[in-house]
């Protein structure tokens, strides 16, 4: 059936006819249909994802806690539209929460009140007590992203938390490349996880299905797969090597490794 003039399908087809070929040559793998993606958090990971997704043809809105007027540089660099936090979730098909763990509690309590249930929410965060202070539930052993899901009142998918931003920015490669790096994805429901696995592939990384959200502890800070540039086979092995009983020691080692970073004076 031919799309009616002025419809979303006809507009997207027209845009693809004008510029899709060049954009697809730049993409590291097959593109998914254009989506509206909201990103809450304009740090290293949030900004890098925004830059990639704009390049791949998605409509991206990005927000931080200080307001869109503070995001001019990020918007210019990434091509994303600076927005308020509430605006990033309106009409979005995917929402990324990429902020320090402690800041999750400060998000508007009704942020997802009118957001359809099939909207995928991605959590890229990590818990570092030296930065976030002690969060009792996490110190007692609750899985980090299960805690985030409880704060948001929505299921989340854990992804993009266990890769350095520089690797995410520079190391995506075409599907089938022998030395292509992998990213693990955990979360519920399965159809939401599958959508994020496709996004990982689109970004130029081999997607590794790490199971439901209850298994996302395997990619928390300090675990064997955390922030290593692994192939898919090695990523699966590292996920399997993680031991639940070692989570406190994993966290302590990761926390010690970033003390110098969080203790350093920040510019401005």
């Amino acid at each position: 059936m031919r799309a009616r003039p002025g419809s979303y399908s006809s507009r997207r087809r027209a845009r693809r006819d004008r510029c899709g070929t060049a954009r697809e040559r730049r993409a590291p793998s097959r593109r998914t249909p254009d989506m509206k993606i909201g990103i809450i958090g304009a740090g290293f990971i949030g900004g890098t994802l925004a830059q990639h997704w704009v390049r791949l043809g998605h409509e991206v809105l990005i927000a931080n806690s200080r307001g869109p007027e503070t995001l001019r540089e990020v918007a210019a660099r990434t091509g994303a539209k600076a927005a308020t936090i509430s605006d990033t979730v309106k009409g979005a098909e995917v929402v990324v929460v990429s902020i320090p763990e402690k800041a999750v509690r400060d998000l508007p309590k009704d942020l997802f009140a009118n957001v359809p249930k099939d909207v995928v929410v991605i959590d890229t965060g990590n818990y570092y007590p030296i930065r976030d202070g002690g969060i009792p539930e996490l110190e007692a052993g609750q899985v980090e992203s299960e805690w985030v899901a409880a704060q948001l009142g929505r299921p989340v998918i854990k992804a993009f938390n266990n890769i350095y931003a520089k690797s995410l920015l520079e190391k995506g490669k075409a599907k089938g490349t022998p030395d292509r790096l992998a990213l693990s994805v955990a979360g519920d429901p399965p159809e939401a996880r599958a959508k994020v696995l496709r996004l990982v592939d689109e970004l130029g990384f081999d997607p590794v299905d790490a199971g439901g959200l209850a298994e996302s502890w395997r990619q928390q800070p300090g675990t064997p797969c955390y922030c290593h540039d692994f192939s898919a086979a090695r990523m699966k092995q590292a996920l399997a090597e993680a031991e639940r009983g070692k989570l406190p020691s994993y966290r302590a080692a990761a926390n010690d490794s970033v003390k110098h970073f969080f203790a350093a004076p920040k510019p401005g």
Side-chain angles (χ1 to χ4, degrees):
M1 180 181 295
R2 182 185 296 271
R4 69 181 185 277
S7 69
Y8 173 76
S9 297
S10 65
R11 293 197 305 271
R12 187 163 68 84
R13 183 179 298 164
R15 183 169 65 178
R16 184 180 64 226
D17 291 342
R18 292 196 305 271
C19 58
T21 302
R23 185 185 294 129
E24 286 166 10
R25 282 199 299 266
R26 295 196 300 272
S29 62
R30 183 184 298 177
R31 296 180 62 249
T32 59
D34 295 357
M35 293 187 294
K36 183 176 182 180
I37 301 174
I39 300 178
I40 301 171
F44 294 124
I45 296 296
T48 299
L49 289 171
Q51 183 173 328
H52 279 318
W53 280 329
V54 168
R55 174 175 58 84
L56 289 166
H58 300 300
E59 178 186 357
V60 180
L61 277 68
I62 192 165
N64 64 8
S65 60
R66 295 176 293 157
E69 65 279 358
T70 67
L71 291 171
R72 292 193 184 100
E73 186 277 329
V74 172
R77 171 168 51 83
T78 65
K81 179 183 177 182
T84 64
I85 289 175
S86 60
D87 282 342
T88 60
V89 306
K90 292 178 181 177
E93 190 172 331
V94 173
V95 175
V96 179
V97 179
S98 189
I99 58 180
E101 211 82 339
K102 64 180 179 181
V104 172
R105 291 176 294 198
D106 298 328
L107 291 173
K109 300 305 179 187
D110 61 348
L111 183 61
F112 291 97
N114 298 310
V115 175
K117 297 299 183 183
D118 61 348
V119 171
V120 176
V121 181
I122 300 174
D123 170 33
T124 78
N126 293 302
Y127 174 50
Y128 286 104
I130 191 172
R131 175 195 63 189
D132 300 311
I135 298 178
E137 298 92 332
L138 301 184
E139 294 296 333
Q142 185 175 11
V143 175
E144 292 174 11
S145 286
E146 289 186 331
W147 179 84
V148 171
Q151 306 308 304
L152 299 179
R154 295 294 292 260
V156 302
I157 304 297
K158 185 78 163 186
F160 307 114
N161 74 297
N162 59 334
I163 185 172
Y164 287 116
K166 183 176 175 63
S167 294
L168 183 61
L169 177 66
E170 299 176 355
K171 296 186 178 181
K173 295 185 179 181
K175 190 171 186 175
T177 302
D179 57 349
R180 199 184 197 211
L181 301 184
L183 285 174
S184 55
V185 176
D188 305 304
E191 57 269 24
R193 185 168 72 246
K195 186 173 222 173
V196 179
L197 288 165
R198 291 193 296 271
L199 284 171
V200 166
D201 187 37
E202 179 190 34
L203 288 170
F205 299 88
D206 281 341
V208 172
D209 189 336
L213 196 62
E215 295 298 311
S216 65
W217 63 269
R218 295 180 182 275
Q219 60 193 71
Q220 289 181 183
T223 55
C225 79
Y226 187 72
C227 288
H228 293 287
D229 288 345
F230 284 154
S231 66
R234 183 66 186 93
M235 177 65 72
K236 292 174 184 177
Q237 181 183 5
L239 288 165
E241 289 171 351
E243 298 180 37
R244 185 72 180 259
K246 290 185 177 180
L247 277 178
S249 60
Y250 291 150
R251 176 174 294 150
N255 204 51
D256 286 343
S257 73
V258 298
K259 280 183 177 178
H260 66 286
F261 176 78
F262 289 121
K266 300 299 184 288

